[in-house]
Amino acid sequence: MNRNDFIKSTALSIGALATLPILSAQEKPANQSSTTASPLQKQTPKIVKHKEGLKLNVLGDQQNIKLTAKDTNGQYTLIEQYNDPGIGIPAHVHDNEDEVFQVLEGEVAMSIGEKTSTLTAGDLIFCPRGIPHSWKVIGDQKAKAILSIFPAGLEQMFMALAELPPGPPNMELVSKICAQHGVNFV
């Protein structure tokens, strides 16, 4: 294509863009539900300082929820976890969410499907929905990790679990709460 043909082609492409509808940040496509965030909605920047966030004890899992569905237009939830050796979550499966679990400090035994691996600082694992997975802090030091959940919303389950009374968990009630959010133990 010579220079003149390229210029004409580019001008035609740009002209075609002018015929596309332009939605304001407040408008949603007609087929989008009001509970689902639109990527066209204006995002509000948020800075979360080191010690800030929503701190929860979820069955022994010390969580600090840094970003929620409200913060990300429902795109993802971001949680910092900082746990003692021996703390973990048994095998479970998500119907609706994918997770990325990245270790920042310490060691975590992570099982996904039939495979168990030891993750250390800098390692991460992608846990797709529908595949059973579990984790447990191992070694002799605390482990810090970042958990990213796509899409957002599972923080509602964590908040409900954090409201349970201290002591040994009532696993029947825990399972019921989790199942209401599409998470089941295996």
Side-chain angles (χ1 to χ4, degrees), residues 80-150:
E80 181 182 73
Q81 297 170 297
Y82 194 50
N83 290 300
D84 290 321
I87 297 296
I89 300 297
H92 61 283
V93 64
H94 297 255
D95 291 339
N96 306 309
E97 299 87 17
D98 298 320
E99 294 180 315
V100 175
F101 187 92
Q102 182 175 18
V103 176
L104 303 177
E105 299 173 8
E107 291 181 279
V108 178
M110 188 80 187
S111 296
I112 185 163
E114 300 296 319
K115 184 175 181 180
T116 300
S117 300
T118 298
L119 304 180
T120 59
D123 295 341
L124 67 80
I125 188 167
F126 171 61
C127 302
R129 67 190 76 192
I131 298 178
H133 58 281
S134 65
W135 61 266
K136 184 176 183 178
V137 178
I138 58 174
D140 58 1
Q141 68 178 19
K142 285 186 160 201
K144 183 182 282 189
I146 295 291
L147 176 62
S148 303
I149 306 168
F150 304 87

Side-chain angles (χ1 to χ4, degrees), residues 59-96:
L59 306 175
D61 178 15
Q62 301 301 313
Q63 298 184 355
N64 187 356
I65 301 176
K66 299 289 194 170
L67 296 172
T68 66
K70 181 179 176 186
D71 301 321
T72 67
N73 280 344
Q75 295 176 72
Y76 67 98
T77 298
L78 188 81
I79 301 171
E80 181 182 73
Q81 297 170 297
Y82 194 50
N83 290 300
D84 290 321
I87 297 296
I89 300 297
H92 61 283
V93 64
H94 297 255
D95 291 339
N96 306 309

